[in-house]
Amino acid sequence: MCGIVGYVGKQKAAAILLEGLKRLEYRGYDSAGICVQQSNRLDVAKKVGRVENLVKEAAKQRFTGTTGIGHTRWATHGGVTDANAHPHVSCDGKIALIHNGVIENYAQMKSFLLGKGYTFQSQTDTEVLCNLIAYHLAKEPEAQNGTNRFVECVRKTLRHVEGTYGIAVLCVDYPSEMVAARKASPLILGVGDGEYILASDASALVSRTQNVVYLRDGEIVHVTPVSFAITTLDQIDVSPVVDKITWSIQDAEMGDHAHFMEKEIFEQPTALENTMRGRFSEDGSTAQFGGLNISAAEFRQVERFVFCACGTAWHACLVAEQLIERFARIPVEVDYASEFRYRNTPLDPSTLFLFLSQSGETIDTLAALREAKRKGYKALAINNVVGSTLAREADGGIYQHVGPEIGVASTKAFTSQLLLGAMFALYLGRMRDMSYSDGVRLVNALKGAPDLVRKALREAPHIREIARRYAQYRDMLFLGRLSLFPIALEGALKLKEISYIHAEGYPAAEMKHGPIALISEKCPSVIFATAGEMFPKVVSSMQEIKARKGPIIAIVTEGCELPPGIADEVITIPDCHEAVLPIVASIPVQLLSYYIAVERGCDVDKPRNLAKSVTVE
Ligand code: F6R
């Protein structure tokens, strides 16, 4: 949600900022802007719409400076206008600032500043911050104890702030310097060869350096062309740790694909291989994880899990719940992180928390983690982005290792979470009652997942044909049973978020309790009819739909015989172990949603109103 980039170095900043913004655009695409320090001026270009609009706007000016900041906006306070686009400049022209987050007490600060004669050009909460920094700068002209006045004014301002922020600030009086700070919005400082690049995530800086410092909440970084220094809001020095990003710029590029979503769907076999690499025991009967930081003895004391997540990651939790309850016989409760954080759920001491998040920056998931930890519970995380806030704040966890996921609609991160949920169920099961031979069978099944996904992907041309026939419907139902019910939810979410077709996911049998009223020739149902004990029951649901003239797209496992004529379309997936089935069954619904959205001419990678990482409440 909002992308931030900053540059201090020897190169012309504008081109580097624009390049970074293109890579961050998936975080917000309402407007974009840059500000470059040009000797004694702060020159700004900003424009509503995509970064390509900003590129044209910026071309009208001559940006030669080597220090600058840039921003892509996902609007919160104030409409989508040029005036509300970032960077904002203080009314005295001294301070330029970009911001990701929400300043909750901006109204009080604004009326204070209005009383002091400060003026505002926008409706944003952000503009208050730059005017407040300018106010402090004007009020305290002298440096104190050799400290940098620019940094101190930012620090002073942030002490008054309630809310969340990732900010980067320039000051006309401090050419070639940048100050940045974070609270609940991600910021990374790339340490390059004679240059520093600040960004909301690594994709914006990995083309220039793989050496990064992950800033933590409450930290302020002061960057000059030759050095950087980190302090806390309380003015305590922080020794920076420089980490290395393990992926390269090619991983964040689209290659021959039409969209990142398509690329990421087809990357899934490799992504799953990377997720499981080195994570099975030598005897081949269980999973092993390096970073859980919880002993087997402690795991044995766990009597209940609470899983929290949002959106697609929440669907992955629902599948993991079923597998853990089945293989390890430990009760699992799944909660929306946004609900958990405000409810007062009764918990007993033997509860262990697990938080799932691709980005590791979703604000509700982080708040739920903090709430669990505040109550004294241990919290684990499954997370893709290395060094994320979630990864750092959890007591232990498992990285997904699927590389950057850029498409706003999550695909490869989801199936990797499904795989890790199954591996975690195996790990816990083997600590309890699962036998060696059952463990070996499950390990072998999980190892086969990438090839089964490859096979499922071969149906893509057939699914594309189906998508052509169904792209103009207005409503769709997705139905599945047991572990395929969460995949029905996920299919419905994928379809609605990228194609804007209204879609709902239900357990197939639940249809009779309400959703059946929607069935008509105008409302198709996508229904999982896979081999197993539920097959005859799902076929009954299909009969009920057919009796009401509802079109049916059936997703069946190889060898399943449907009654003749019952399905209008049939998509076949390979038959597989129950722990792998949700992974394989995800492929056709991802492809169907993707091709329908393409057919409807939707902007698949940047669906309207959405942003990849939800860092505001
Ligand atoms: C949907 C989607 C979202 C995310 C949700 C949580 O395709 O991607 O529903 O799953 O915003 O994001 P993370 O996993 O980053 O916490």
Side-chain angles (χ1 to χ4, degrees):
M1 218 147 249
C2 295
I4 281 183
V5 62
Y7 181 80
V8 178
K10 297 187 201 100
Q11 308 296 318
K12 284 186 185 163
I16 294 165
L17 296 172
L18 291 171
E19 173 60 25
L21 290 181
K22 278 186 208 148
R23 300 206 177 271
L24 289 179
E25 199 172 21
Y26 71 98
R27 299 179 66 88
Y29 28 90
D30 289 332
S31 60
I34 56 169
C35 174
V36 176
Q37 174 111 33
Q38 318 252 68
S39 55
N40 59 348
R41 287 196 331 266
L42 293 169
D43 284 355
V44 173
K46 51 187 188 177
K47 201 72 199 152
V48 157
R50 303 291 161 90
V51 174
E52 63 198 38
N53 295 357
L54 171 66
V55 171
K56 287 186 202 130
E57 187 65 21
K60 295 178 191 161
Q61 298 183 46
R62 216 171 141 261
F63 287 109
T64 52
T66 59
T67 305
I69 53 179
H71 186 268
T72 58
R73 178 167 187 245
W74 187 87
T76 57
H77 292 60
V80 178
T81 61
D82 287 347
N84 287 336
H86 302 212
H88 291 285
V89 178
S90 58
C91 63
D92 62 4
K94 293 245 175 197
I95 296 289
L97 182 143
I98 50 175
H99 169 220
N100 171 24
V102 171
I103 307 301
E104 286 164 7
N105 59 340
Y106 83 102
Q108 293 101 293
M109 296 196 290
K110 190 167 178 172
S111 64
F112 168 79
L113 288 165
L114 284 168
K116 299 278 175 202
Y118 282 76
T119 56
F120 293 83
Q121 309 297 318
S122 77
Q123 289 91 48
T124 63
D125 50 341
T126 303
E127 199 183 357
V128 172
L129 282 186
C130 57
N131 273 326
L132 199 56
I133 297 170
Y135 165 78
H136 286 302
L137 203 70
K139 216 172 107 215
E140 290 166 46
E142 295 307 322
Q144 304 156 353
N145 323 323
T147 54
N148 179 293
R149 190 163 60 102
F150 177 23
V151 181
E152 291 320 308
C153 290
V154 173
R155 197 191 318 274
K156 203 162 237 178
T157 298
L158 294 179
R159 285 198 186 127
H160 296 290
V161 166
E162 285 163 26
T164 59
Y165 53 81
I167 55 166
V169 195
L170 301 180
C171 177
V172 104
D173 298 339
Y174 292 81
S176 312
E177 293 183 31
M178 174 174 64
V179 177
R182 68 158 276 178
K183 182 181 166 204
S185 295
L187 275 187
I188 306 172
L189 183 70
V191 182
D193 186 8
E195 61 184 16
Y196 298 98
I197 311 105
L198 182 87
S200 300
D201 73 50
S203 59
L205 53 79
V206 72
S207 65
R208 304 197 71 84
T209 180
Q210 288 184 295
N211 300 322
V212 294
V213 177
Y214 296 100
L215 296 180
R216 284 175 297 193
D217 276 356
E219 289 183 349
I220 301 177
V221 61
H222 176 213
V223 187
T224 74
V226 291
S227 66
F228 70 96
I230 303 177
T231 50
T232 65
L233 273 186
D234 303 325
Q235 228 170 333
I236 295 164
D237 292 338
V238 175
S239 308
V241 178
V242 181
D243 281 303
K244 210 159 191 88
I245 298 169
T246 52
W247 48 273
S248 70
I249 190 64
Q250 284 74 32
D251 296 310
E253 276 172 355
M254 210 141 63
D256 294 335
H257 292 276
H259 299 99
F260 277 108
M261 183 176 178
E262 185 193 43
K263 176 191 180 226
E264 287 157 9
I265 289 174
F266 283 91
E267 252 173 21
Q268 287 176 107
T270 315
L272 293 170
E273 279 159 4
N274 290 339
T275 298
M276 67 172 86
R277 180 163 297 121
R279 285 178 166 162
F280 290 114
S281 62
E282 239 170 69
D283 73 350
S285 77
T286 189
Q288 58 188 18
F289 303 105
L292 289 176
N293 302 332
I294 292 188
S295 68
E298 280 177 281
F299 268 121
R300 285 210 51 90
Q301 303 302 315
V302 175
E303 285 175 13
R304 181 172 171 240
F305 276 104
V306 175
F307 290 180
C308 288
C310 299
T312 287
W314 183 78
H315 297 153
C317 290
L318 294 177
V319 175
E321 171 189 26
Q322 297 196 26
L323 296 178
I324 289 170
E325 291 189 345
R326 164 123 171 70
F327 294 127
R329 309 297 303 153
I330 305 172
V332 179
E333 196 175 317
V334 178
D335 212 344
Y336 284 114
S338 52
E339 292 293 303
F340 173 81
R341 62 181 290 195
Y342 292 114
R343 278 192 306 121
N344 197 4
T345 312
L347 299 165
D348 61 69
S350 52
T351 301
L352 181 60
F353 279 83
L354 181 73
F355 297 87
L356 257 79
S357 171
Q358 186 285 130
S359 61
E361 302 294 348
T362 301
I363 196 149
D364 286 318
T365 309
L366 291 173
L369 168 105
R370 288 169 188 152
E371 178 64 5
K373 290 194 71 174
R374 188 188 63 75
K375 289 181 168 164
Y377 288 92
K378 277 214 167 165
L380 300 179
I382 290 181
N383 161 229
N384 187 38
V385 177
V386 174
S388 70
T389 308
L390 186 71
R392 276 181 284 124
E393 293 194 14
D395 295 299
I398 310 170
Y399 277 127
Q400 297 181 229
H401 295 313
V402 299
E405 189 181 66
I406 312 247
V408 167
S410 183
T411 52
K412 64 175 179 173
F414 176 62
T415 47
S416 146
Q417 286 166 352
L418 296 179
L419 175 61
L420 286 174
M423 291 172 71
F424 194 48
L426 161 71
Y427 177 74
L428 296 169
R430 286 286 289 130
M431 275 178 201
R432 299 195 174 210
D433 301 328
M434 189 188 283
S435 68
Y436 170 80
S437 46
D438 284 347
V440 170
R441 257 193 295 278
L442 185 45
V443 167
N444 288 337
L446 294 172
K447 283 185 177 168
D451 278 339
L452 293 170
V453 167
R454 270 185 197 102
K455 207 166 165 194
L457 285 167
R458 285 189 214 129
E459 284 285 289
H462 173 50
I463 296 173
R464 185 165 210 161
E465 283 303 312
I466 296 174
R468 288 201 179 108
R469 292 193 281 277
Y470 288 80
Q472 299 315 326
Y473 282 88
R474 291 179 56 185
D475 303 285
M476 252 187 231
L477 283 183
F478 285 72
L479 304 168
R481 297 207 63 166
L482 302 179
S483 64
L484 296 184
F485 159 53
I487 308 306
L489 290 175
E490 174 63 5
L493 176 64
K494 284 293 88 106
L495 186 69
K496 67 185 138 195
E497 71 180 326
I498 58 169
S499 75
Y500 319 135
I501 293 174
H502 166 243
E504 310 245 14
Y506 272 96
E510 193 60 24
M511 193 188 60
K512 292 191 284 296
H513 302 281
I516 198 162
L518 296 175
I519 300 289
S520 74
E521 65 278 9
K522 290 190 178 150
C523 178
S525 298
V526 177
I527 183 158
F528 291 106
T530 54
E533 52 175 348
M534 285 295 143
F535 182 69
K537 308 212 177 283
V538 171
V539 170
S540 297
S541 301
M542 292 169 78
Q543 303 280 19
E544 290 155 13
I545 295 170
K546 214 62 234 162
R548 287 156 185 88
K549 299 195 175 59
I552 292 181
I553 302 170
I555 299 173
V556 302
T557 32
E558 260 166 359
C560 271
E561 294 266 336
L562 288 173
I566 196 169
D568 299 86
E569 316 287 347
V570 177
I571 301 169
T572 307
I573 55 172
D575 196 9
C576 48
H577 190 283
E578 60 183 300
V580 179
L581 183 61
I583 300 174
V584 176
S586 299
I587 305 304
V589 291
Q590 292 173 348
L591 287 169
L592 187 66
S593 306
Y594 172 71
Y595 288 129
I596 286 180
V598 170
E599 200 60 33
R600 288 166 71 90
C602 299
D603 193 344
V604 172
D605 283 336
K606 299 184 187 74
R608 72 180 177 215
N609 305 338
L610 290 174
K612 181 75 182 157
S613 172
V614 183
T615 54
V616 295
E617 210 184 331

